Amino acid sequence: MIAYIKGVFAEAEANTVSLETAGGVAYEISVMPSDLEKFPALGEELKLYTYLQVKEDGVALFGFLSKTDLTVFKLLLTVSGIGPKSGLAILSAIGVPELRLAVLTEDADRIAAAPGVGKKTAGRLIIELKDKLAALADEIAGGFTETPEEDGAAAPEEKALRENAVQVLVALGYAQKEAVKAVKKVEVTEGMTEDDMIRFSLRELG
């Protein structure tokens, strides 16, 4: 099994890249468009965590910048009806944090919006991965967790609300740690929306 490949970013075509190792071997790897946007310039060094698919008609490599993305990709492959290509399509369309949020809130429509994924497959994904994705909370959310006391009492909807707020704040340019700290200070009340959580968190940030 190939855990990762580090080499020179040699070529890019559509959603496939080539990495040339020191030994002069170039590996063709399928990647997510969202990752491709973050790659360095051609000719610079690049490291991708990889999954090797072995089929009767050949082999294929799928690569990710994040080890967490690879972990979730492998989880997707355990769901009946989801292969490497559809798994990559789901992560490309949704992304790991949003996928986890959709699974925890049982938002099958959001998952089914990914190319080639129907409502039936989305529903199966939610049932089979809900507990597994919940267990990856720290890794996926970049360290966002409730305190031990809160964690036992908080509903999945509240956790998802807080985690999504952290993601939005980070997207707005705030550091992960300060976003987490601000969100934790906000008291969740009945009927609170995501917009409310973000607004109150921004007040904590000053």
Side-chain angles (χ1 to χ4, degrees):
M1 184 175 179
I2 304 173
Y4 65 83
I5 296 176
K6 182 190 292 185
V8 174
F9 180 21
E11 295 179 357
E13 183 176 348
N15 298 326
T16 302
V17 302
S18 293
L19 286 189
E20 184 177 346
T21 63
V25 178
Y27 292 89
E28 187 175 87
I29 307 171
S30 296
V31 299
M32 298 190 297
S34 55
D35 271 355
L36 190 56
E37 296 173 356
K38 304 172 187 174
F39 283 4
L42 290 174
E44 295 187 10
E45 187 177 78
L46 175 64
K47 176 181 178 180
L48 292 176
Y49 296 95
T50 56
Y51 171 82
L52 177 65
Q53 178 192 32
V54 180
K55 303 184 296 181
E56 292 182 359
D57 57 348
V59 297
L61 275 170
F62 298 83
F64 305 87
L65 282 174
S66 163
K67 199 169 185 179
T68 300
D69 286 355
L70 174 60
T71 298
V72 175
F73 176 73
K74 289 180 179 178
L75 286 179
L76 287 172
L77 301 185
T78 65
V79 179
S80 177
I82 297 180
K85 288 186 178 180
S86 53
L88 199 67
I90 291 172
L91 292 183
S92 297
I94 302 176
V96 170
E98 190 174 349
L99 173 63
R100 180 175 180 271
L101 180 64
V103 170
L104 291 180
T105 57
E106 301 184 3
D107 187 354
D109 289 335
R110 181 68 189 93
I111 299 171
V117 181
K119 290 289 290 290
K120 186 179 293 186
T121 300
R124 189 185 304 122
L125 188 157
I126 289 171
I127 293 172
E128 296 185 20
L129 297 189
K130 192 168 186 177
D131 291 342
K132 294 177 181 178
L133 287 176
L136 289 174
D138 289 351
E139 189 174 349
I140 293 174
F144 176 80
T145 56
E146 305 291 340
T147 62
E149 294 79 13
E150 292 171 332
D151 190 53
E157 292 81 5
E158 178 181 330
K159 292 181 183 179
L161 186 69
R162 292 184 185 277
E163 289 168 5
N164 204 39
V166 169
Q167 294 160 26
V168 172
L169 292 175
V170 171
L172 290 173
Y174 291 97
Q176 179 79 28
K177 288 185 178 180
E178 64 177 345
V180 169
K181 185 176 180 180
V183 170
K184 281 187 175 182
K185 290 181 179 179
V186 178
E187 180 181 356
V188 176
T189 57
E190 186 176 354
M192 178 177 281
T193 66
E194 181 183 316
D195 287 342
D196 293 332
M197 173 63 76
I198 294 169
R199 185 173 67 255
F200 292 136
S201 299
L202 286 170
R203 289 180 183 176
E204 294 293 340
L205 289 165

